[in-house]
Amino acid sequence: MAITLDDLPIRDDLRGQSPYGAPQKKVPVALNVNENTHPIPEDVARDIVESVAAAVLEVNRYPDREFTPLREALARYLSAALEPDKAIEPGQIWAANGSNEVIQQILQAFGGPGRTALGFPPTYSMHSIITRGTGTEWVEAPRDEGFEISPETVAREIRRVDPDIVFLCAPNNPTGTPVELATIEAAYEAARGIVLVDEAYAEFMPADRPSAVTLLEGRPRLLVSRTMSKAFAFAGARVGYLAADPAVIDALRLVRLPYHLSSLTQAAAVAALRHANEMLAMVDDIKAQRDRIVETLTELGYHPWPTWSNFVLFGGVDDPEAVFEQLLARGIIVRDLAIPGHLRVSAGTAAETTAFLEAMSDIRLGA
Ligand code: PMP
């Protein structure tokens, strides 16, 4: 008889848990995991390959454990959007294999058995999965109307739960909802522990809206995580990062595995960051496609929520599972997050977005 998970001497607190499970299907129009669906420009790809090729010649050696050139490049990238006196120093930067790994290291350093993390669902599923995976207790608090979190709500819930770690996803996945800086400031004031702002989608916010990175000075318990997986079109390379006080970086050094970022990853990421403008060239187009989705779905009678990211959560879907399947039959995959009456779609290229919107129109008309 086949052995199942339950037959193994697995940790009691992992029994009955579900793994991260976004379906991975090869379909012509994949709009289900908020990737940047635009391929990276060929000249950039060539530069990345040349950098990786040079790194391969030294792959007999362990990589730079401090990934110094990458931290310098990330600090430069973040600082470009800030006033010169607010620049981020390389000593404030940490990176890992995707922001998921950064988040896991944060939980390893600041969470663990006997500690608690607070989140505001619906939110990014990995926050609770990573929390539980590190033996940390996951506690949930309600949002306000329209998935928003006011400064009053965040402060009240933090005082009620008294968590060691607070997760704020800004903008929030899967709803797209922005988080005002006032909410982050209020969370920091109310919390005695870490406030982690997950800014995976920051580049898709309106250009004049400041990032939580602007709040770092004087707030050593505030951590802002970012990723190269979304706007930067680098999901397959697995590079996420964090900006925080240098003391936080010291804490992460205690839990990271030595040499966790391969020399090939470091070389690829540094090369990509040399071309930041080209890598990000599609962000404006993606935002335009996102706005088109909101507009057209509204015309079709659905209820898209306001979004500052590269995806749209929309309600008014009578049977999300059926619509998901009807789209899949047309070669289009979106995300069914089991939010009643809702589906989520990522903004694609103009052609992919058109394919999705035409399919939604056909489905509405019963065609
Ligand atoms: N945070 C949020 C809010 C996300 O949506 C995602 C990816 N879906 C991540 C973090 C993780 O991204 P990565 O590990 O690719 O950096």
Side-chain angles (χ1 to χ4, degrees):
M1 251 214 325
I3 293 284
T4 70
L5 196 54
D6 284 338
D7 300 317
L8 296 173
I10 191 172
R11 271 166 39 193
D12 288 338
D13 61 337
L14 292 181
R15 281 186 198 281
Q17 299 288 336
S18 305
Y20 179 79
Q24 274 198 305
K25 286 192 202 298
K26 275 260 174 267
V27 296
V29 182
L31 302 175
N32 63 331
V33 285
N34 302 338
E35 292 152 330
N36 184 337
T37 67
H38 300 71
I40 64 174
E42 203 172 318
D43 62 316
V44 181
R46 278 185 203 290
D47 195 20
I48 293 171
V49 169
E50 277 166 27
S51 300
V52 171
V56 167
L57 294 174
E58 295 180 22
V59 87
N60 55 311
R61 298 289 184 183
Y62 281 116
D64 172 3
R65 214 169 41 215
E66 288 289 311
F67 40 97
T68 310
L70 176 57
R71 290 164 72 202
E72 287 167 355
L74 289 168
R76 255 196 314 279
Y77 169 65
L78 278 184
S79 298
L82 304 172
E83 303 288 325
D85 63 329
K86 292 252 190 270
I88 297 292
E89 299 297 326
Q92 292 177 268
I93 298 285
W94 187 248
N97 298 284
S99 53
N100 281 331
E101 189 179 61
V102 174
I103 296 169
Q104 183 176 51
Q105 291 169 338
I106 295 165
L107 267 293
Q108 286 176 318
F110 298 104
R115 294 196 166 203
T116 302
L118 171 67
F120 293 81
T123 194
Y124 179 42
S125 62
M126 283 308 298
H127 291 167
S128 55
I129 293 174
I130 295 170
T131 295
R132 294 190 179 113
T134 58
T136 315
E137 186 188 352
W138 172 254
V139 179
E140 299 187 338
R143 289 171 176 262
D144 304 321
E145 282 294 296
F147 302 120
E148 293 186 359
I149 310 175
S150 69
E152 296 72 30
T153 296
V154 90
R156 184 190 67 231
E157 294 303 319
I158 289 171
R159 289 204 189 93
R160 177 176 70 81
V161 175
D162 189 29
D164 298 282
I165 299 168
V166 179
F167 280 95
L168 291 172
C169 192
N172 186 51
N173 178 12
T175 60
T177 321
V179 179
E180 296 293 339
L181 290 191
T183 293
I184 296 165
E185 289 175 291
Y188 192 85
E189 288 308 311
R192 65 175 164 75
I194 297 295
V195 176
L196 169 56
V197 183
D198 181 340
E199 285 198 345
Y201 300 96
E203 287 92 345
F204 300 105
M205 302 199 310
D208 58 348
R209 299 305 289 245
S211 143
V213 167
T214 58
L215 298 178
L216 285 176
E217 209 182 318
R219 292 187 179 86
R221 293 177 288 107
L222 180 63
L223 282 53
V224 183
S225 65
R226 291 277 193 111
T227 182
M228 291 180 71
S229 296
K230 309 294 177 179
F232 232 91
F234 222 47
R238 311 303 301 126
V239 184
Y241 55 103
L242 168 88
D245 191 278
V248 170
I249 311 304
D250 281 338
L252 301 182
R253 283 190 181 94
L254 298 175
V255 296
R256 63 97 183 273
L257 297 175
Y259 318 111
H260 69 286
L261 261 186
S262 93
S263 43
L264 308 186
T265 305
Q266 293 185 39
V270 170
L273 283 157
R274 271 202 297 275
H275 299 274
N277 289 343
E278 273 174 275
M279 296 291 282
L280 293 168
M282 291 301 160
V283 165
D284 284 342
D285 183 53
I286 294 166
K287 285 159 78 173
Q289 300 309 323
R290 168 198 71 196
D291 294 343
R292 199 177 140 219
I293 294 172
V294 170
E295 219 168 278
T296 309
L297 287 181
T298 306
E299 282 164 17
L300 290 172
Y302 294 102
H303 308 300
W305 291 92
T307 170
W308 276 11
S309 48
N310 66 338
F311 53 84
V312 180
L313 179 76
F314 57 99
V317 187
D318 293 338
D319 186 347
E321 273 177 53
V323 173
F324 176 91
E325 290 300 333
Q326 283 168 295
L327 288 168
L328 197 55
R330 290 166 165 84
I332 301 165
I333 188 163
V334 298
R335 193 77 187 273
D336 180 359
L337 293 141
I339 301 176
H342 285 74
L343 288 170
R344 190 194 70 191
V345 62
S346 314
T349 59
E352 289 167 333
T353 304
T354 299
F356 164 74
L357 291 172
E358 286 181 357
M360 289 302 290
S361 171
D362 286 353
I363 291 167
R364 200 47 143 184
L365 298 171

mmCIF file with all atom_site columns, all heavy atoms in Angstrom, residues 315-335:
data_model
loop_
_atom_site.group_PDB
_atom_site.id
_atom_site.type_symbol
_atom_site.label_atom_id
_atom_site.label_alt_id
_atom_site.label_comp_id
_atom_site.label_asym_id
_atom_site.label_entity_id
_atom_site.label_seq_id
_atom_site.pdbx_PDB_ins_code
_atom_site.Cartn_x
_atom_site.Cartn_y
_atom_site.Cartn_z
_atom_site.occupancy
_atom_site.B_iso_or_equiv
_atom_site.pdbx_formal_charge
_atom_site.auth_seq_id
_atom_site.auth_comp_id
_atom_site.auth_asym_id
_atom_site.auth_atom_id
_atom_site.pdbx_PDB_model_num
ATOM 1   N N   . GLY A 1 315 ? -15.346 40.816 -9.072  1.00 0.00 ? 315 GLY A N   1
ATOM 2   C CA  . GLY A 1 315 ? -16.501 40.101 -8.535  1.00 0.00 ? 315 GLY A CA  1
ATOM 3   C C   . GLY A 1 315 ? -17.633 40.082 -9.558  1.00 0.00 ? 315 GLY A C   1
ATOM 4   O O   . GLY A 1 315 ? -17.458 40.507 -10.703 1.00 0.00 ? 315 GLY A O   1
ATOM 5   N N   . GLY A 1 316 ? -18.770 39.586 -9.119  1.00 0.00 ? 316 GLY A N   1
ATOM 6   C CA  . GLY A 1 316 ? -19.916 39.493 -10.017 1.00 0.00 ? 316 GLY A CA  1
ATOM 7   C C   . GLY A 1 316 ? -19.854 38.274 -10.918 1.00 0.00 ? 316 GLY A C   1
ATOM 8   O O   . GLY A 1 316 ? -20.549 38.210 -11.935 1.00 0.00 ? 316 GLY A O   1
ATOM 9   N N   . VAL A 1 317 ? -19.009 37.295 -10.547 1.00 0.00 ? 317 VAL A N   1
ATOM 10  C CA  . VAL A 1 317 ? -18.902 36.065 -11.340 1.00 0.00 ? 317 VAL A CA  1
ATOM 11  C C   . VAL A 1 317 ? -19.798 35.016 -10.662 1.00 0.00 ? 317 VAL A C   1
ATOM 12  O O   . VAL A 1 317 ? -19.515 34.592 -9.545  1.00 0.00 ? 317 VAL A O   1
ATOM 13  C CB  . VAL A 1 317 ? -17.439 35.554 -11.360 1.00 0.00 ? 317 VAL A CB  1
ATOM 14  C CG1 . VAL A 1 317 ? -17.294 34.377 -12.325 1.00 0.00 ? 317 VAL A CG1 1
ATOM 15  C CG2 . VAL A 1 317 ? -16.468 36.674 -11.715 1.00 0.00 ? 317 VAL A CG2 1
ATOM 16  N N   . ASP A 1 318 ? -20.892 34.643 -11.343 1.00 0.00 ? 318 ASP A N   1
ATOM 17  C CA  . ASP A 1 318 ? -21.860 33.742 -10.703 1.00 0.00 ? 318 ASP A CA  1
ATOM 18  C C   . ASP A 1 318 ? -21.222 32.418 -10.317 1.00 0.00 ? 318 ASP A C   1
ATOM 19  O O   . ASP A 1 318 ? -21.468 31.898 -9.236  1.00 0.00 ? 318 ASP A O   1
ATOM 20  C CB  . ASP A 1 318 ? -23.046 33.468 -11.649 1.00 0.00 ? 318 ASP A CB  1
ATOM 21  C CG  . ASP A 1 318 ? -23.854 34.742 -11.848 1.00 0.00 ? 318 ASP A CG  1
ATOM 22  O OD1 . ASP A 1 318 ? -23.755 35.633 -10.974 1.00 0.00 ? 318 ASP A OD1 1
ATOM 23  O OD2 . ASP A 1 318 ? -24.536 34.855 -12.882 1.00 0.00 ? 318 ASP A OD2 1
ATOM 24  N N   . ASP A 1 319 ? -20.411 31.878 -11.225 1.00 0.00 ? 319 ASP A N   1
ATOM 25  C CA  . ASP A 1 319 ? -19.830 30.559 -10.980 1.00 0.00 ? 319 ASP A CA  1
ATOM 26  C C   . ASP A 1 319 ? -18.341 30.604 -11.355 1.00 0.00 ? 319 ASP A C   1
ATOM 27  O O   . ASP A 1 319 ? -17.968 30.267 -12.482 1.00 0.00 ? 319 ASP A O   1
ATOM 28  C CB  . ASP A 1 319 ? -20.582 29.510 -11.834 1.00 0.00 ? 319 ASP A CB  1
ATOM 29  C CG  . ASP A 1 319 ? -20.136 28.088 -11.518 1.00 0.00 ? 319 ASP A CG  1
ATOM 30  O OD1 . ASP A 1 319 ? -19.093 27.924 -10.847 1.00 0.00 ? 319 ASP A OD1 1
ATOM 31  O OD2 . ASP A 1 319 ? -20.834 27.154 -11.957 1.00 0.00 ? 319 ASP A OD2 1
ATOM 32  N N   . PRO A 1 320 ? -17.486 31.046 -10.437 1.00 0.00 ? 320 PRO A N   1
ATOM 33  C CA  . PRO A 1 320 ? -16.068 31.223 -10.776 1.00 0.00 ? 320 PRO A CA  1
ATOM 34  C C   . PRO A 1 320 ? -15.423 29.962 -11.344 1.00 0.00 ? 320 PRO A C   1
ATOM 35  O O   . PRO A 1 320 ? -14.640 30.043 -12.283 1.00 0.00 ? 320 PRO A O   1
ATOM 36  C CB  . PRO A 1 320 ? -15.426 31.617 -9.442  1.00 0.00 ? 320 PRO A CB  1
ATOM 37  C CG  . PRO A 1 320 ? -16.532 32.162 -8.620  1.00 0.00 ? 320 PRO A CG  1
ATOM 38  C CD  . PRO A 1 320 ? -17.762 31.448 -9.049  1.00 0.00 ? 320 PRO A CD  1
ATOM 39  N N   . GLU A 1 321 ? -15.785 28.797 -10.784 1.00 0.00 ? 321 GLU A N   1
ATOM 40  C CA  . GLU A 1 321 ? -15.158 27.562 -11.275 1.00 0.00 ? 321 GLU A CA  1
ATOM 41  C C   . GLU A 1 321 ? -15.514 27.316 -12.732 1.00 0.00 ? 321 GLU A C   1
ATOM 42  O O   . GLU A 1 321 ? -14.663 26.922 -13.540 1.00 0.00 ? 321 GLU A O   1
ATOM 43  C CB  . GLU A 1 321 ? -15.637 26.367 -10.448 1.00 0.00 ? 321 GLU A CB  1
ATOM 44  C CG  . GLU A 1 321 ? -14.797 26.142 -9.206  1.00 0.00 ? 321 GLU A CG  1
ATOM 45  C CD  . GLU A 1 321 ? -15.344 24.997 -8.367  1.00 0.00 ? 321 GLU A CD  1
ATOM 46  O OE1 . GLU A 1 321 ? -15.537 23.890 -8.906  1.00 0.00 ? 321 GLU A OE1 1
ATOM 47  O OE2 . GLU A 1 321 ? -15.609 25.246 -7.170  1.00 0.00 ? 321 GLU A OE2 1
ATOM 48  N N   . ALA A 1 322 ? -16.768 27.587 -13.086 1.00 0.00 ? 322 ALA A N   1
ATOM 49  C CA  . ALA A 1 322 ? -17.210 27.364 -14.468 1.00 0.00 ? 322 ALA A CA  1
ATOM 50  C C   . ALA A 1 322 ? -16.518 28.353 -15.410 1.00 0.00 ? 322 ALA A C   1
ATOM 51  O O   . ALA A 1 322 ? -16.052 27.976 -16.492 1.00 0.00 ? 322 ALA A O   1
ATOM 52  C CB  . ALA A 1 322 ? -18.729 27.505 -14.562 1.00 0.00 ? 322 ALA A CB  1
ATOM 53  N N   . VAL A 1 323 ? -16.429 29.620 -15.004 1.00 0.00 ? 323 VAL A N   1
ATOM 54  C CA  . VAL A 1 323 ? -15.785 30.621 -15.870 1.00 0.00 ? 323 VAL A CA  1
ATOM 55  C C   . VAL A 1 323 ? -14.301 30.285 -16.022 1.00 0.00 ? 323 VAL A C   1
ATOM 56  O O   . VAL A 1 323 ? -13.733 30.387 -17.115 1.00 0.00 ? 323 VAL A O   1
ATOM 57  C CB  . VAL A 1 323 ? -15.999 32.048 -15.312 1.00 0.00 ? 323 VAL A CB  1
ATOM 58  C CG1 . VAL A 1 323 ? -15.192 33.071 -16.106 1.00 0.00 ? 323 VAL A CG1 1
ATOM 59  C CG2 . VAL A 1 323 ? -17.480 32.411 -15.337 1.00 0.00 ? 323 VAL A CG2 1
ATOM 60  N N   . PHE A 1 324 ? -13.667 29.846 -14.916 1.00 0.00 ? 324 PHE A N   1
ATOM 61  C CA  . PHE A 1 324 ? -12.265 29.426 -14.981 1.00 0.00 ? 324 PHE A CA  1
ATOM 62  C C   . PHE A 1 324 ? -12.108 28.342 -16.057 1.00 0.00 ? 324 PHE A C   1
ATOM 63  O O   . PHE A 1 324 ? -11.207 28.403 -16.902 1.00 0.00 ? 324 PHE A O   1
ATOM 64  C CB  . PHE A 1 324 ? -11.819 28.905 -13.604 1.00 0.00 ? 324 PHE A CB  1
ATOM 65  C CG  . PHE A 1 324 ? -10.419 28.370 -13.579 1.00 0.00 ? 324 PHE A CG  1
ATOM 66  C CD1 . PHE A 1 324 ? -9.356  29.206 -13.264 1.00 0.00 ? 324 PHE A CD1 1
ATOM 67  C CD2 . PHE A 1 324 ? -10.145 27.034 -13.887 1.00 0.00 ? 324 PHE A CD2 1
ATOM 68  C CE1 . PHE A 1 324 ? -8.044  28.720 -13.252 1.00 0.00 ? 324 PHE A CE1 1
ATOM 69  C CE2 . PHE A 1 324 ? -8.845  26.545 -13.883 1.00 0.00 ? 324 PHE A CE2 1
ATOM 70  C CZ  . PHE A 1 324 ? -7.796  27.393 -13.562 1.00 0.00 ? 324 PHE A CZ  1
ATOM 71  N N   . GLU A 1 325 ? -12.992 27.352 -16.031 1.00 0.00 ? 325 GLU A N   1
ATOM 72  C CA  . GLU A 1 325 ? -12.898 26.231 -16.986 1.00 0.00 ? 325 GLU A CA  1
ATOM 73  C C   . GLU A 1 325 ? -13.190 26.691 -18.415 1.00 0.00 ? 325 GLU A C   1
ATOM 74  O O   . GLU A 1 325 ? -12.549 26.239 -19.362 1.00 0.00 ? 325 GLU A O   1
ATOM 75  C CB  . GLU A 1 325 ? -13.856 25.095 -16.595 1.00 0.00 ? 325 GLU A CB  1
ATOM 76  C CG  . GLU A 1 325 ? -13.461 24.347 -15.330 1.00 0.00 ? 325 GLU A CG  1
ATOM 77  C CD  . GLU A 1 325 ? -12.074 23.680 -15.406 1.00 0.00 ? 325 GLU A CD  1
ATOM 78  O OE1 . GLU A 1 325 ? -11.626 23.345 -16.520 1.00 0.00 ? 325 GLU A OE1 1
ATOM 79  O OE2 . GLU A 1 325 ? -11.438 23.528 -14.342 1.00 0.00 ? 325 GLU A OE2 1
ATOM 80  N N   . GLN A 1 326 ? -14.167 27.618 -18.562 1.00 0.00 ? 326 GLN A N   1
ATOM 81  C CA  . GLN A 1 326 ? -14.496 28.106 -19.912 1.00 0.00 ? 326 GLN A CA  1
ATOM 82  C C   . GLN A 1 326 ? -13.310 28.876 -20.506 1.00 0.00 ? 326 GLN A C   1
ATOM 83  O O   . GLN A 1 326 ? -13.020 28.780 -21.692 1.00 0.00 ? 326 GLN A O   1
ATOM 84  C CB  . GLN A 1 326 ? -15.735 29.011 -19.861 1.00 0.00 ? 326 GLN A CB  1
ATOM 85  C CG  . GLN A 1 326 ? -17.029 28.218 -19.714 1.00 0.00 ? 326 GLN A CG  1
ATOM 86  C CD  . GLN A 1 326 ? -18.191 29.132 -19.381 1.00 0.00 ? 326 GLN A CD  1
ATOM 87  O OE1 . GLN A 1 326 ? -18.229 29.743 -18.317 1.00 0.00 ? 326 GLN A OE1 1
ATOM 88  N NE2 . GLN A 1 326 ? -19.125 29.264 -20.299 1.00 0.00 ? 326 GLN A NE2 1
ATOM 89  N N   . LEU A 1 327 ? -12.622 29.641 -19.646 1.00 0.00 ? 327 LEU A N   1
ATOM 90  C CA  . LEU A 1 327 ? -11.437 30.364 -20.115 1.00 0.00 ? 327 LEU A CA  1
ATOM 91  C C   . LEU A 1 327 ? -10.331 29.372 -20.485 1.00 0.00 ? 327 LEU A C   1
ATOM 92  O O   . LEU A 1 327 ? -9.671  29.503 -21.517 1.00 0.00 ? 327 LEU A O   1
ATOM 93  C CB  . LEU A 1 327 ? -10.940 31.339 -19.040 1.00 0.00 ? 327 LEU A CB  1
ATOM 94  C CG  . LEU A 1 327 ? -11.798 32.588 -18.814 1.00 0.00 ? 327 LEU A CG  1
ATOM 95  C CD1 . LEU A 1 327 ? -11.356 33.315 -17.538 1.00 0.00 ? 327 LEU A CD1 1
ATOM 96  C CD2 . LEU A 1 327 ? -11.697 33.547 -20.008 1.00 0.00 ? 327 LEU A CD2 1
ATOM 97  N N   . LEU A 1 328 ? -10.170 28.357 -19.629 1.00 0.00 ? 328 LEU A N   1
ATOM 98  C CA  . LEU A 1 328 ? -9.110  27.371 -19.869 1.00 0.00 ? 328 LEU A CA  1
ATOM 99  C C   . LEU A 1 328 ? -9.347  26.646 -21.201 1.00 0.00 ? 328 LEU A C   1
ATOM 100 O O   . LEU A 1 328 ? -8.411  26.399 -21.964 1.00 0.00 ? 328 LEU A O   1
ATOM 101 C CB  . LEU A 1 328 ? -9.077  26.372 -18.705 1.00 0.00 ? 328 LEU A CB  1
ATOM 102 C CG  . LEU A 1 328 ? -7.815  25.529 -18.557 1.00 0.00 ? 328 LEU A CG  1
ATOM 103 C CD1 . LEU A 1 328 ? -6.561  26.388 -18.458 1.00 0.00 ? 328 LEU A CD1 1
ATOM 104 C CD2 . LEU A 1 328 ? -7.931  24.626 -17.320 1.00 0.00 ? 328 LEU A CD2 1
ATOM 105 N N   . ALA A 1 329 ? -10.598 26.362 -21.486 1.00 0.00 ? 329 ALA A N   1
ATOM 106 C CA  . ALA A 1 329 ? -10.931 25.707 -22.760 1.00 0.00 ? 329 ALA A CA  1
ATOM 107 C C   . ALA A 1 329 ? -10.533 26.585 -23.943 1.00 0.00 ? 329 ALA A C   1
ATOM 108 O O   . ALA A 1 329 ? -10.305 26.090 -25.047 1.00 0.00 ? 329 ALA A O   1
ATOM 109 C CB  . ALA A 1 329 ? -12.425 25.393 -22.805 1.00 0.00 ? 329 ALA A CB  1
ATOM 110 N N   . ARG A 1 330 ? -10.451 27.896 -23.716 1.00 0.00 ? 330 ARG A N   1
ATOM 111 C CA  . ARG A 1 330 ? -10.016 28.825 -24.772 1.00 0.00 ? 330 ARG A CA  1
ATOM 112 C C   . ARG A 1 330 ? -8.517  29.120 -24.692 1.00 0.00 ? 330 ARG A C   1
ATOM 113 O O   . ARG A 1 330 ? -8.034  30.061 -25.311 1.00 0.00 ? 330 ARG A O   1
ATOM 114 C CB  . ARG A 1 330 ? -10.788 30.149 -24.651 1.00 0.00 ? 330 ARG A CB  1
ATOM 115 C CG  . ARG A 1 330 ? -12.262 30.047 -25.017 1.00 0.00 ? 330 ARG A CG  1
ATOM 116 C CD  . ARG A 1 330 ? -12.986 31.296 -24.544 1.00 0.00 ? 330 ARG A CD  1
ATOM 117 N NE  . ARG A 1 330 ? -14.287 31.462 -25.139 1.00 0.00 ? 330 ARG A NE  1
ATOM 118 C CZ  . ARG A 1 330 ? -15.411 30.892 -24.722 1.00 0.00 ? 330 ARG A CZ  1
ATOM 119 N NH1 . ARG A 1 330 ? -15.369 30.061 -23.694 1.00 0.00 ? 330 ARG A NH1 1
ATOM 120 N NH2 . ARG A 1 330 ? -16.562 31.118 -25.313 1.00 0.00 ? 330 ARG A NH2 1
ATOM 121 N N   . GLY A 1 331 ? -7.793  28.352 -23.852 1.00 0.00 ? 331 GLY A N   1
ATOM 122 C CA  . GLY A 1 331 ? -6.343  28.527 -23.768 1.00 0.00 ? 331 GLY A CA  1
ATOM 123 C C   . GLY A 1 331 ? -5.912  29.672 -22.880 1.00 0.00 ? 331 GLY A C   1
ATOM 124 O O   . GLY A 1 331 ? -4.795  30.183 -23.007 1.00 0.00 ? 331 GLY A O   1
ATOM 125 N N   . ILE A 1 332 ? -6.786  30.074 -21.952 1.00 0.00 ? 332 ILE A N   1
ATOM 126 C CA  . ILE A 1 332 ? -6.476  31.211 -21.072 1.00 0.00 ? 332 ILE A CA  1
ATOM 127 C C   . ILE A 1 332 ? -6.579  30.740 -19.625 1.00 0.00 ? 332 ILE A C   1
ATOM 128 O O   . ILE A 1 332 ? -7.598  30.144 -19.234 1.00 0.00 ? 332 ILE A O   1
ATOM 129 C CB  . ILE A 1 332 ? -7.479  32.364 -21.293 1.00 0.00 ? 332 ILE A CB  1
ATOM 130 C CG1 . ILE A 1 332 ? -7.436  32.818 -22.764 1.00 0.00 ? 332 ILE A CG1 1
ATOM 131 C CG2 . ILE A 1 332 ? -7.211  33.531 -20.349 1.00 0.00 ? 332 ILE A CG2 1
ATOM 132 C CD1 . ILE A 1 332 ? -8.602  33.678 -23.172 1.00 0.00 ? 332 ILE A CD1 1
ATOM 133 N N   . ILE A 1 333 ? -5.544  30.986 -18.836 1.00 0.00 ? 333 ILE A N   1
ATOM 134 C CA  . ILE A 1 333 ? -5.643  30.595 -17.428 1.00 0.00 ? 333 ILE A CA  1
ATOM 135 C C   . ILE A 1 333 ? -5.603  31.837 -16.549 1.00 0.00 ? 333 ILE A C   1
ATOM 136 O O   . ILE A 1 333 ? -4.777  32.733 -16.734 1.00 0.00 ? 333 ILE A O   1
ATOM 137 C CB  . ILE A 1 333 ? -4.565  29.550 -17.019 1.00 0.00 ? 333 ILE A CB  1
ATOM 138 C CG1 . ILE A 1 333 ? -4.837  29.043 -15.601 1.00 0.00 ? 333 ILE A CG1 1
ATOM 139 C CG2 . ILE A 1 333 ? -3.156  30.100 -17.123 1.00 0.00 ? 333 ILE A CG2 1
ATOM 140 C CD1 . ILE A 1 333 ? -4.114  27.751 -15.257 1.00 0.00 ? 333 ILE A CD1 1
ATOM 141 N N   . VAL A 1 334 ? -6.563  31.908 -15.620 1.00 0.00 ? 334 VAL A N   1
ATOM 142 C CA  . VAL A 1 334 ? -6.616  32.984 -14.625 1.00 0.00 ? 334 VAL A CA  1
ATOM 143 C C   . VAL A 1 334 ? -6.550  32.315 -13.257 1.00 0.00 ? 334 VAL A C   1
ATOM 144 O O   . VAL A 1 334 ? -6.249  31.132 -13.147 1.00 0.00 ? 334 VAL A O   1
ATOM 145 C CB  . VAL A 1 334 ? -7.897  33.850 -14.793 1.00 0.00 ? 334 VAL A CB  1
ATOM 146 C CG1 . VAL A 1 334 ? -7.898  34.530 -16.154 1.00 0.00 ? 334 VAL A CG1 1
ATOM 147 C CG2 . VAL A 1 334 ? -9.152  33.020 -14.569 1.00 0.00 ? 334 VAL A CG2 1
ATOM 148 N N   . ARG A 1 335 ? -6.837  33.042 -12.200 1.00 0.00 ? 335 ARG A N   1
ATOM 149 C CA  . ARG A 1 335 ? -6.696  32.457 -10.862 1.00 0.00 ? 335 ARG A CA  1
ATOM 150 C C   . ARG A 1 335 ? -8.033  32.444 -10.130 1.00 0.00 ? 335 ARG A C   1
ATOM 151 O O   . ARG A 1 335 ? -8.698  33.488 -10.031 1.00 0.00 ? 335 ARG A O   1
ATOM 152 C CB  . ARG A 1 335 ? -5.671  33.272 -10.067 1.00 0.00 ? 335 ARG A CB  1
ATOM 153 C CG  . ARG A 1 335 ? -5.202  32.619 -8.799  1.00 0.00 ? 335 ARG A CG  1
ATOM 154 C CD  . ARG A 1 335 ? -4.197  31.510 -9.078  1.00 0.00 ? 335 ARG A CD  1
ATOM 155 N NE  . ARG A 1 335 ? -3.882  30.801 -7.862  1.00 0.00 ? 335 ARG A NE  1
ATOM 156 C CZ  . ARG A 1 335 ? -2.946  31.152 -7.000  1.00 0.00 ? 335 ARG A CZ  1
ATOM 157 N NH1 . ARG A 1 335 ? -2.200  32.207 -7.258  1.00 0.00 ? 335 ARG A NH1 1
ATOM 158 N NH2 . ARG A 1 335 ? -2.742  30.456 -5.909  1.00 0.00 ? 335 ARG A NH2 1
#
